[in-house]
Protein backbone atom coordinates (compact mmCIF):
# COMPACT_ATOMS: atom_id res chain seq x y z
CA UNK A 1 0.00 0.00 0.00
CA UNK A 2 1.45 3.39 -0.91
CA UNK A 3 1.37 6.39 1.41
CA UNK A 4 -1.71 8.54 1.85
CA UNK A 5 -1.39 12.33 1.94
CA UNK A 6 -3.28 13.97 4.78
CA UNK A 7 -3.40 17.75 5.29
CA UNK A 8 -4.43 19.32 8.59
CA UNK A 9 -7.52 21.51 8.19
CA UNK A 10 -6.57 23.58 11.27
CA UNK A 11 -2.91 24.42 10.56
CA UNK A 12 -2.29 23.30 6.97
CA UNK A 13 0.54 20.86 7.80
CA UNK A 14 0.94 18.09 5.19
CA UNK A 15 1.46 14.54 6.39
CA UNK A 16 2.49 11.41 4.51
CA UNK A 17 0.93 8.47 6.34
CA UNK A 18 1.67 4.83 5.63
CA UNK A 19 -1.20 3.38 7.67
CA UNK A 20 -3.94 6.00 7.45
CA UNK A 21 -6.39 3.42 6.20
CA UNK A 22 -5.85 0.80 8.88
CA UNK A 23 -9.12 0.28 10.80
CA UNK A 24 -9.00 1.48 14.39
CA UNK A 25 -5.87 3.52 13.73
CA UNK A 26 -6.16 7.19 14.68
CA UNK A 27 -3.77 9.76 13.26
CA UNK A 28 -3.35 13.30 14.59
CA UNK A 29 -1.53 16.37 13.25
CA UNK A 30 2.07 16.51 14.49
CA UNK A 31 1.93 20.29 14.70
CA UNK A 32 -1.44 21.18 16.29
CA UNK A 33 -2.90 17.84 17.42
CA UNK A 34 -6.03 17.89 15.24
CA UNK A 35 -7.36 14.42 14.40
CA UNK A 36 -6.59 13.67 10.74
CA UNK A 37 -7.97 10.24 10.10
CA UNK A 38 -9.65 7.48 12.02
CA UNK A 39 -10.92 4.45 10.20
CA UNK A 40 -13.59 2.75 12.34
CA UNK A 41 -13.05 -0.98 12.90
CA UNK A 42 -16.59 -1.83 11.74
CA UNK A 43 -17.92 -2.15 8.21
CA UNK A 44 -20.81 -0.16 6.73
CA UNK A 45 -23.54 -2.42 8.14
CA UNK A 46 -23.33 -1.04 11.69
CA UNK A 47 -23.63 2.68 10.75
CA UNK A 48 -26.40 1.87 8.25
CA UNK A 49 -28.39 -0.03 10.88
CA UNK A 50 -27.87 2.80 13.41
CA UNK A 51 -28.91 5.52 10.94
CA UNK A 52 -32.06 3.58 10.02
CA UNK A 53 -32.90 3.09 13.72
CA UNK A 54 -32.33 6.81 14.31
CA UNK A 55 -34.74 7.65 11.47
CA UNK A 56 -37.47 5.46 13.01
CA UNK A 57 -36.87 7.03 16.43
CA UNK A 58 -37.05 10.52 14.91
CA UNK A 59 -40.44 9.60 13.47
CA UNK A 60 -41.63 8.31 16.88
CA UNK A 61 -40.33 11.45 18.60
CA UNK A 62 -42.48 13.48 16.20
CA UNK A 63 -45.67 11.46 16.40
CA UNK A 64 -45.80 11.08 20.18
CA UNK A 65 -45.57 13.89 22.76
CA UNK A 66 -42.22 14.47 24.49
CA UNK A 67 -43.95 15.06 27.81
CA UNK A 68 -47.40 15.67 29.25
CA UNK A 69 -48.37 18.48 31.61
CA UNK A 70 -51.30 18.73 33.95
CA UNK A 71 -52.42 21.84 35.78
CA UNK A 72 -55.48 21.65 38.01
CA UNK A 73 -57.12 19.03 35.81
CA UNK A 74 -56.25 20.77 32.54
CA UNK A 75 -53.94 18.68 30.39
CA UNK A 76 -51.41 19.78 27.81
CA UNK A 77 -48.65 18.10 25.85
CA UNK A 78 -45.41 19.01 24.15
CA UNK A 79 -44.75 17.66 20.67
CA UNK A 80 -41.53 18.43 18.77
CA UNK A 81 -43.54 20.62 16.41
CA UNK A 82 -45.54 22.41 19.18
CA UNK A 83 -42.83 25.04 19.80
CA UNK A 84 -42.44 26.15 16.17
CA UNK A 85 -46.24 26.20 15.70
CA UNK A 86 -46.74 28.26 18.84
CA UNK A 87 -43.97 30.71 17.87
CA UNK A 88 -45.45 31.15 14.38
CA UNK A 89 -48.69 32.38 15.98
CA UNK A 90 -46.85 35.48 17.27
CA UNK A 91 -45.85 36.38 13.66
CA UNK A 92 -42.95 38.61 12.60
CA UNK A 93 -39.50 37.66 13.91
CA UNK A 94 -41.03 35.03 16.21
CA UNK A 95 -42.29 33.13 13.18
CA UNK A 96 -38.70 33.21 11.87
CA UNK A 97 -37.50 31.86 15.20
CA UNK A 98 -40.12 29.11 14.93
CA UNK A 99 -38.72 28.17 11.52
CA UNK A 100 -35.20 28.11 12.97
CA UNK A 101 -36.30 25.79 15.80
CA UNK A 102 -38.17 23.53 13.34
CA UNK A 103 -35.10 23.45 11.08
CA UNK A 104 -32.59 22.63 13.82
CA UNK A 105 -34.76 20.10 15.65
CA UNK A 106 -36.58 18.37 12.81
CA UNK A 107 -35.88 19.27 9.15
CA UNK A 108 -32.06 19.18 9.27
CA UNK A 109 -31.82 16.03 11.46
CA UNK A 110 -34.27 14.31 9.10
CA UNK A 111 -32.42 15.30 5.91
CA UNK A 112 -29.05 14.44 7.49
CA UNK A 113 -30.17 10.94 8.49
CA UNK A 114 -31.81 10.29 5.10
CA UNK A 115 -28.59 11.33 3.32
CA UNK A 116 -26.51 9.02 5.55
CA UNK A 117 -28.83 6.10 4.76
CA UNK A 118 -28.79 6.85 1.00
CA UNK A 119 -24.99 7.23 0.81
CA UNK A 120 -24.24 4.11 2.89
CA UNK A 121 -26.79 2.05 0.91
CA UNK A 122 -25.22 3.28 -2.33
CA UNK A 123 -21.71 2.34 -1.17
CA UNK A 124 -22.85 -1.07 0.04
CA UNK A 125 -24.44 -1.88 -3.31
CA UNK A 126 -20.87 -1.96 -4.71
CA UNK A 127 -21.89 -0.37 -8.03
CA UNK A 128 -18.87 1.77 -9.06
CA UNK A 129 -20.98 3.85 -11.48
CA UNK A 130 -23.10 5.04 -8.54
CA UNK A 131 -20.20 6.31 -6.43
CA UNK A 132 -19.48 9.70 -8.08
CA UNK A 133 -23.17 10.55 -7.70
CA UNK A 134 -22.93 10.04 -3.95
CA UNK A 135 -20.30 12.81 -3.58
CA UNK A 136 -22.70 15.82 -3.66
CA UNK A 137 -25.05 14.01 -1.24
CA UNK A 138 -22.24 13.29 1.24
CA UNK A 139 -20.97 16.86 0.93
CA UNK A 140 -24.47 18.19 1.76
CA UNK A 141 -24.80 15.76 4.68
CA UNK A 142 -21.54 16.95 6.26
CA UNK A 143 -22.47 20.60 5.73
CA UNK A 144 -25.78 20.00 7.56
CA UNK A 145 -24.42 17.87 10.40
CA UNK A 146 -23.33 20.66 12.82
CA UNK A 147 -26.84 22.13 12.48
CA UNK A 148 -28.59 18.89 13.39
CA UNK A 149 -29.25 19.72 17.03
CA UNK A 150 -31.30 16.94 18.57
CA UNK A 151 -28.75 16.51 21.38
CA UNK A 152 -28.97 20.21 22.26
CA UNK A 153 -32.74 20.04 21.91
CA UNK A 154 -32.89 17.14 24.35
CA UNK A 155 -30.99 19.17 26.93
CA UNK A 156 -33.27 22.18 26.26
CA UNK A 157 -36.24 19.88 26.87
CA UNK A 158 -34.69 18.72 30.12
CA UNK A 159 -34.17 22.31 31.32
CA UNK A 160 -37.75 23.23 30.34
CA UNK A 161 -39.08 20.10 32.02
CA UNK A 162 -37.17 20.85 35.23
CA UNK A 163 -38.50 24.41 35.34
CA UNK A 164 -42.03 23.17 34.65
CA UNK A 165 -42.02 20.47 37.30
CA UNK A 166 -41.98 23.21 39.91
CA UNK A 167 -45.24 24.75 38.66
CA UNK A 168 -47.22 21.89 37.12
CA UNK A 169 -47.46 18.12 37.14
CA UNK A 170 -45.22 16.73 34.38
CA UNK A 171 -44.69 13.25 32.93
CA UNK A 172 -42.24 12.10 30.27
CA UNK A 173 -44.08 10.45 27.35
CA UNK A 174 -43.12 8.04 24.52
CA UNK A 175 -41.73 10.82 22.31
CA UNK A 176 -39.39 11.88 25.13
CA UNK A 177 -37.97 8.38 25.52
CA UNK A 178 -37.62 8.06 21.74
CA UNK A 179 -35.72 11.37 21.66
CA UNK A 180 -33.39 10.24 24.45
CA UNK A 181 -32.56 6.92 22.75
CA UNK A 182 -32.22 8.71 19.40
CA UNK A 183 -29.51 11.01 20.78
CA UNK A 184 -27.59 7.97 22.09
CA UNK A 185 -27.94 6.11 18.79
CA UNK A 186 -26.69 9.18 16.89
CA UNK A 187 -23.65 9.45 19.17
CA UNK A 188 -22.72 5.80 18.49
CA UNK A 189 -23.40 6.35 14.78
CA UNK A 190 -20.81 9.15 14.70
CA UNK A 191 -18.22 6.84 16.28
CA UNK A 192 -18.66 4.00 13.78
CA UNK A 193 -19.40 6.10 10.67
CA UNK A 194 -15.89 7.25 9.70
CA UNK A 195 -16.42 10.40 7.63
CA UNK A 196 -13.09 10.07 5.79
CA UNK A 197 -13.65 6.36 5.18
CA UNK A 198 -16.89 7.22 3.35
CA UNK A 199 -15.07 9.83 1.22
CA UNK A 200 -12.32 7.36 0.39
CA UNK A 201 -14.91 4.76 -0.64
CA UNK A 202 -16.60 7.30 -2.92
CA UNK A 203 -13.23 7.86 -4.66
CA UNK A 204 -9.78 6.57 -3.72
CA UNK A 205 -7.54 9.60 -2.92
CA UNK A 206 -4.40 7.89 -4.33
CA UNK A 207 -5.47 8.45 -7.96
CA UNK A 208 -5.57 12.25 -7.45
CA UNK A 209 -2.37 12.54 -5.36
CA UNK A 210 0.11 15.23 -6.50
CA UNK A 211 3.56 14.20 -7.75
CA UNK A 212 6.33 14.45 -5.13
CA UNK A 213 7.41 18.09 -4.84
CA UNK A 214 4.44 19.36 -6.84
CA UNK A 215 2.46 22.25 -5.23
CA UNK A 216 -0.65 20.87 -3.55
CA UNK A 217 -4.01 22.07 -2.24
CA UNK A 218 -6.53 20.53 0.15
CA UNK A 219 -10.21 20.46 -0.82
CA UNK A 220 -12.18 22.40 1.81
CA UNK A 221 -15.09 19.95 1.64
CA UNK A 222 -13.68 16.42 1.29
CA UNK A 223 -10.08 17.13 2.40
CA UNK A 224 -8.61 15.49 -0.66
CA UNK A 225 -4.97 16.50 -1.18
CA UNK A 226 -4.40 17.09 -4.87
CA UNK A 227 -2.17 19.12 -7.25
CA UNK A 228 -2.68 22.87 -6.83
CA UNK A 229 -4.20 24.82 -9.74
CA UNK A 230 -1.65 26.71 -11.88
CA UNK A 231 -0.90 30.10 -10.29
CA UNK A 232 -2.65 32.86 -12.19
CA UNK A 233 -4.84 30.42 -14.11
CA UNK A 234 -7.85 32.42 -15.23
CA UNK A 235 -9.76 29.88 -17.31
CA UNK A 236 -12.32 29.15 -14.62
CA UNK A 237 -11.62 27.84 -11.14
CA UNK A 238 -10.45 24.27 -10.79
CA UNK A 239 -12.84 21.93 -9.08
CA UNK A 240 -12.03 19.09 -6.69
CA UNK A 241 -11.92 15.88 -8.76
CA UNK A 242 -13.72 14.01 -5.98
CA UNK A 243 -16.51 16.34 -4.80
CA UNK A 244 -16.52 19.21 -7.35
CA UNK A 245 -15.93 21.95 -4.75
CA UNK A 246 -13.85 24.92 -6.02
CA UNK A 247 -10.24 24.33 -4.92
CA UNK A 248 -9.00 27.24 -2.83
CA UNK A 249 -5.79 27.20 -0.76
CA UNK A 250 -7.64 29.05 2.03
CA UNK A 251 -11.31 29.84 2.62
CA UNK A 252 -11.90 32.94 0.44
CA UNK A 253 -12.97 36.13 2.24
CA UNK A 254 -12.59 34.36 5.59
CA UNK A 255 -11.19 37.31 7.57
CA UNK A 256 -13.63 40.01 6.41
CA UNK A 257 -16.64 37.70 6.75
CA UNK A 258 -15.57 36.64 10.28
CA UNK A 259 -15.11 40.29 11.28
CA UNK A 260 -18.53 41.26 9.91
CA UNK A 261 -20.28 38.34 11.64
CA UNK A 262 -18.68 38.86 15.05
CA UNK A 263 -19.31 42.62 14.90
CA UNK A 264 -23.01 42.00 14.29
CA UNK A 265 -23.08 39.36 17.04
CA UNK A 266 -21.28 41.68 19.51
CA UNK A 267 -23.90 44.39 18.93
CA UNK A 268 -26.74 41.90 19.50
CA UNK A 269 -25.05 40.37 22.57
CA UNK A 270 -26.25 43.32 24.72
CA UNK A 271 -29.99 43.17 23.93
CA UNK A 272 -29.74 39.36 24.05
CA UNK A 273 -28.70 39.57 27.70
CA UNK A 274 -30.48 42.76 28.84
CA UNK A 275 -33.94 42.20 27.32
CA UNK A 276 -36.43 39.67 28.64
CA UNK A 277 -36.50 36.38 26.74
CA UNK A 278 -39.93 35.36 28.06
CA UNK A 279 -42.74 36.43 30.36
CA UNK A 280 -44.66 34.12 32.67
CA UNK A 281 -48.18 35.07 33.72
CA UNK A 282 -49.57 33.21 36.73
CA UNK A 283 -52.92 34.14 38.25
CA UNK A 284 -52.62 37.64 36.80
CA UNK A 285 -49.07 38.20 38.08
CA UNK A 286 -46.57 38.84 35.26
CA UNK A 287 -42.86 37.99 35.60
CA UNK A 288 -40.26 38.74 32.91
CA UNK A 289 -37.13 36.64 32.64
CA UNK A 290 -33.81 37.57 31.08
CA UNK A 291 -31.30 34.80 30.31
CA UNK A 292 -29.54 35.47 33.62
CA UNK A 293 -32.83 35.51 35.56
CA UNK A 294 -33.58 32.06 34.12
CA UNK A 295 -30.27 30.81 35.49
CA UNK A 296 -31.08 32.41 38.84
CA UNK A 297 -34.45 30.66 38.94
CA UNK A 298 -32.83 27.26 38.34
CA UNK A 299 -30.39 27.98 41.16
CA UNK A 300 -33.25 29.05 43.46
CA UNK A 301 -35.01 25.77 42.70
CA UNK A 302 -31.87 24.03 43.97
CA UNK A 303 -30.87 22.76 40.50
CA UNK A 304 -27.28 23.94 40.71
CA UNK A 305 -25.69 21.70 38.06
CA UNK A 306 -28.38 22.70 35.56
CA UNK A 307 -28.06 26.39 36.50
CA UNK A 308 -24.28 26.24 35.93
CA UNK A 309 -24.72 24.41 32.64
CA UNK A 310 -27.17 27.01 31.30
CA UNK A 311 -24.95 29.83 32.59
CA UNK A 312 -21.96 28.43 30.67
CA UNK A 313 -23.90 27.56 27.51
CA UNK A 314 -25.86 30.82 27.29
CA UNK A 315 -23.62 33.51 28.76
CA UNK A 316 -20.01 32.29 28.87
CA UNK A 317 -19.85 30.43 25.53
CA UNK A 318 -21.14 33.27 23.26
CA UNK A 319 -18.78 35.71 25.01
CA UNK A 320 -15.87 33.25 24.72
CA UNK A 321 -16.54 32.88 20.99
CA UNK A 322 -16.64 36.63 20.40
CA UNK A 323 -13.46 37.30 22.40
CA UNK A 324 -11.57 34.34 20.90
CA UNK A 325 -12.42 35.14 17.28
CA UNK A 326 -11.57 38.79 17.94
CA UNK A 327 -8.21 37.70 19.36
CA UNK A 328 -7.51 35.43 16.35
CA UNK A 329 -8.24 38.26 13.90
CA UNK A 330 -6.02 40.68 15.86
CA UNK A 331 -3.19 38.13 16.03
CA UNK A 332 -3.39 37.58 12.26
CA UNK A 333 -3.21 41.35 11.71
CA UNK A 334 -0.17 41.53 13.98
CA UNK A 335 1.33 38.43 12.28
CA UNK A 336 1.89 37.10 15.75
CA UNK A 337 3.55 33.69 16.18
CA UNK A 338 2.65 33.60 19.88
CA UNK A 339 0.51 30.81 21.33
CA UNK A 340 -0.36 29.35 17.92
CA UNK A 341 -1.05 25.87 19.25
CA UNK A 342 -3.20 27.21 22.10
CA UNK A 343 -5.11 29.45 19.72
CA UNK A 344 -5.76 26.51 17.40
CA UNK A 345 -6.97 24.38 20.32
CA UNK A 346 -9.20 27.22 21.52
CA UNK A 347 -10.63 27.44 18.00
CA UNK A 348 -11.51 23.75 18.10
CA UNK A 349 -13.11 24.20 21.52
CA UNK A 350 -15.40 27.06 20.47
CA UNK A 351 -16.25 25.16 17.30
CA UNK A 352 -17.43 22.17 19.35
CA UNK A 353 -19.26 23.93 22.20
CA UNK A 354 -20.85 26.76 20.18
CA UNK A 355 -24.02 24.90 19.23
CA UNK A 356 -24.90 24.19 22.90
CA UNK A 357 -25.86 27.85 23.37
CA UNK A 358 -29.13 26.97 21.66
CA UNK A 359 -30.39 25.30 24.86
CA UNK A 360 -32.16 28.52 25.88
CA UNK A 361 -33.73 29.03 22.44
CA UNK A 362 -35.23 25.53 22.55
CA UNK A 363 -36.26 25.95 26.18
CA UNK A 364 -38.27 29.15 25.53
CA UNK A 365 -39.91 27.53 22.52
CA UNK A 366 -40.90 24.44 24.57
CA UNK A 367 -42.18 26.46 27.55
CA UNK A 368 -44.24 28.76 25.32
CA UNK A 369 -45.78 25.72 23.64
CA UNK A 370 -46.58 23.67 26.74
CA UNK A 371 -47.73 26.36 29.17
CA UNK A 372 -50.85 27.85 27.65
CA UNK A 373 -53.38 27.62 30.45
CA UNK A 374 -54.83 31.13 30.15
CA UNK A 375 -55.23 32.81 33.53
CA UNK A 376 -53.64 29.88 35.41
CA UNK A 377 -50.26 30.02 33.71
CA UNK A 378 -49.18 31.36 30.32
CA UNK A 379 -45.66 31.74 28.91
CA UNK A 380 -44.91 34.14 26.04
CA UNK A 381 -41.61 34.61 24.21
CA UNK A 382 -40.10 38.11 24.29
CA UNK A 383 -37.80 40.12 22.00
CA UNK A 384 -34.62 39.12 23.87
CA UNK A 385 -34.81 35.54 22.61
CA UNK A 386 -34.70 36.79 18.99
CA UNK A 387 -31.43 38.69 19.64
CA UNK A 388 -30.09 35.72 21.56
CA UNK A 389 -30.84 33.24 18.76
CA UNK A 390 -29.24 35.67 16.28
CA UNK A 391 -26.07 35.83 18.42
CA UNK A 392 -25.84 32.02 18.50
CA UNK A 393 -26.37 31.63 14.74
CA UNK A 394 -24.01 34.50 13.81
CA UNK A 395 -21.19 33.22 16.05
CA UNK A 396 -21.65 29.67 14.74
CA UNK A 397 -21.39 30.97 11.17
CA UNK A 398 -18.33 33.05 12.11
CA UNK A 399 -16.58 30.00 13.61
CA UNK A 400 -17.35 27.96 10.49
CA UNK A 401 -16.16 30.64 8.09
CA UNK A 402 -12.98 31.48 10.02
CA UNK A 403 -10.00 29.61 8.56
CA UNK A 404 -7.55 28.83 11.42
CA UNK A 405 -4.77 28.05 8.92
CA UNK A 406 -4.54 31.82 8.33
CA UNK A 407 -3.11 32.18 11.87
CA UNK A 408 -0.25 29.83 10.90
CA UNK A 409 0.22 31.60 7.54
CA UNK A 410 0.35 35.00 9.27
CA UNK A 411 2.93 33.79 11.78
CA UNK A 412 5.17 32.85 8.82
CA UNK A 413 4.47 36.26 7.24
CA UNK A 414 2.46 34.67 4.42
CA UNK A 415 -0.93 36.22 4.99
CA UNK A 416 -2.56 37.47 1.81
ZN1 LIG B 1 -2.49 20.76 12.43
ZN1 LIG C 1 -13.33 17.63 -2.52
Amino acid sequence: MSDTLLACRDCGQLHRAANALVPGHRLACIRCGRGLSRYPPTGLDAPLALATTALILLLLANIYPIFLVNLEGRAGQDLLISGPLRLSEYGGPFAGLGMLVAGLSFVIPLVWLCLVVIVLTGLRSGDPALRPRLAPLWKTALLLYPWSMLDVYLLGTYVAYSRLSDAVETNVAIGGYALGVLVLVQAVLMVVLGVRRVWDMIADPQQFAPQPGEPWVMCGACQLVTAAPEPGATAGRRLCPRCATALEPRQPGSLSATLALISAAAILYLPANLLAVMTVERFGRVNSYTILAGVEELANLGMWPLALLVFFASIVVPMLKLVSLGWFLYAIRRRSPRRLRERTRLYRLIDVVGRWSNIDVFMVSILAASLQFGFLTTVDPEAGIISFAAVVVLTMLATTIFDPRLMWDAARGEVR
Side-chain angles (χ1 to χ4, degrees):
M1 189 195 291
S2 56
D3 293 352
T4 307
L5 290 175
L6 300 167
C8 175
R9 66 196 304 179
D10 283 357
C11 76
Q13 174 75 43
L14 186 66
H15 304 73
R16 191 173 288 279
N19 46 4
L21 315 182
V22 176
H25 206 94
R26 183 183 180 276
L27 295 174
C29 174
I30 47 160
R31 192 157 68 171
C32 76
R34 160 121 205 172
L36 294 172
S37 166
R38 187 188 60 82
Y39 260 50
T42 53
L44 294 182
D45 290 350
L48 184 57
L50 287 164
T52 315
T53 312
L55 260 178
I56 297 168
L57 288 166
L58 183 61
L59 224 61
L60 289 179
N62 273 280
I63 298 172
Y64 295 102
I66 308 285
F67 56 78
L68 305 168
V69 289
N70 191 326
L71 181 64
E72 324 239 335
R74 293 175 63 178
Q77 61 180 27
D78 176 59
L79 286 156
L80 252 169
I81 198 67
S82 310
L85 286 180
R86 178 78 197 132
L87 286 171
S88 70
E89 284 169 23
Y90 293 89
F94 290 107
L97 186 68
M99 279 159 72
L100 178 75
V101 172
L104 301 179
S105 64
F106 175 63
V107 181
I108 293 178
L110 177 71
V111 176
W112 144 255
L113 285 171
C114 287
L115 288 172
V116 173
V117 170
I118 294 170
V119 171
L120 293 181
T121 311
L123 286 177
R124 257 180 103 251
S125 77
D127 180 2
L130 198 64
R131 296 191 168 192
R133 276 188 259 163
L134 300 175
L137 301 182
W138 192 232
K139 190 166 106 177
T140 312
L142 295 179
L143 220 65
L144 290 179
Y145 176 66
W147 300 88
S148 165
M149 296 204 188
L150 288 171
D151 43 1
V152 184
Y153 188 89
L154 180 69
L155 205 56
T157 311
Y158 183 62
V159 176
Y161 185 85
S162 306
R163 283 178 77 161
L164 278 170
S165 54
D166 178 56
V168 294
E169 190 193 323
T170 43
N171 285 301
V172 183
I174 298 176
Y177 293 114
L179 185 63
V181 180
L182 168 55
V183 169
L184 278 178
V185 170
Q186 273 228 80
V188 182
L189 169 65
M190 289 319 286
V191 174
V192 297
L193 185 57
V195 169
R196 187 182 282 271
R197 182 249 306 257
V198 173
W199 274 126
D200 292 353
M201 288 181 82
I202 288 172
D204 185 356
Q206 307 278 4
Q207 55 181 314
F208 310 114
Q211 299 301 316
E214 196 182 7
W216 58 276
V217 66
M218 182 189 77
C219 169
C222 75
Q223 290 167 50
L224 176 78
V225 174
T226 187
E230 296 282 313
T234 46
R237 290 195 294 181
R238 237 191 74 212
L239 302 181
C240 170
R242 184 156 71 175
C243 73
T245 306
L247 288 173
E248 303 276 1
R250 297 293 178 258
Q251 190 138 312
S254 166
L255 298 181
S256 48
T258 308
L259 182 63
L261 288 166
I262 62 168
S263 307
I267 293 168
L268 287 167
Y269 186 80
L270 279 180
N273 281 285
L274 295 177
L275 295 181
V277 291
M278 62 175 186
T279 51
V280 180
E281 190 180 346
R282 287 196 83 184
F283 308 112
R285 247 191 41 228
V286 180
N287 275 321
S288 297
Y289 288 93
T290 57
I291 295 275
L292 195 61
V295 174
E296 230 179 280
E297 195 194 47
L298 284 171
N300 288 339
L301 291 171
M303 301 175 197
W304 274 101
L306 217 51
L308 275 174
L309 182 94
V310 175
F311 178 73
F312 269 99
S314 303
I315 294 172
V316 178
V317 168
M319 176 60 98
L320 180 72
K321 280 160 80 177
L322 289 175
V323 172
S324 309
L325 287 168
W327 178 30
F328 302 159
L329 290 179
Y330 177 73
I332 288 173
R333 221 188 134 79
R334 295 287 309 268
R335 306 187 173 211
S336 163
R338 291 180 57 196
R339 304 198 175 277
L340 264 174
R341 256 165 188 278
E342 288 81 357
R343 267 188 268 149
T344 311
R345 277 199 206 115
L346 180 61
Y347 170 76
R348 284 202 284 274
L349 176 76
I350 59 170
D351 193 28
V352 171
V353 299
R355 51 207 290 283
W356 291 93
S357 302
N358 272 308
I359 290 175
D360 259 318
V361 175
F362 293 142
M363 186 208 60
V364 169
S365 145
I366 294 163
L367 285 180
S370 42
L371 281 182
Q372 291 297 330
F373 295 110
F375 179 72
L376 293 178
T377 300
T378 298
V379 172
D380 290 310
E382 294 295 332
I385 198 64
I386 305 280
S387 314
F388 184 79
V391 170
V392 179
V393 171
L394 289 172
T395 50
M396 271 189 76
L397 287 173
T399 317
T400 310
I401 238 161
F402 178 74
D403 191 336
R405 292 172 295 180
L406 293 170
M407 297 195 288
W408 295 80
D409 295 346
R412 287 196 303 268
E414 287 174 11
V415 83
R416 46 213 98 204

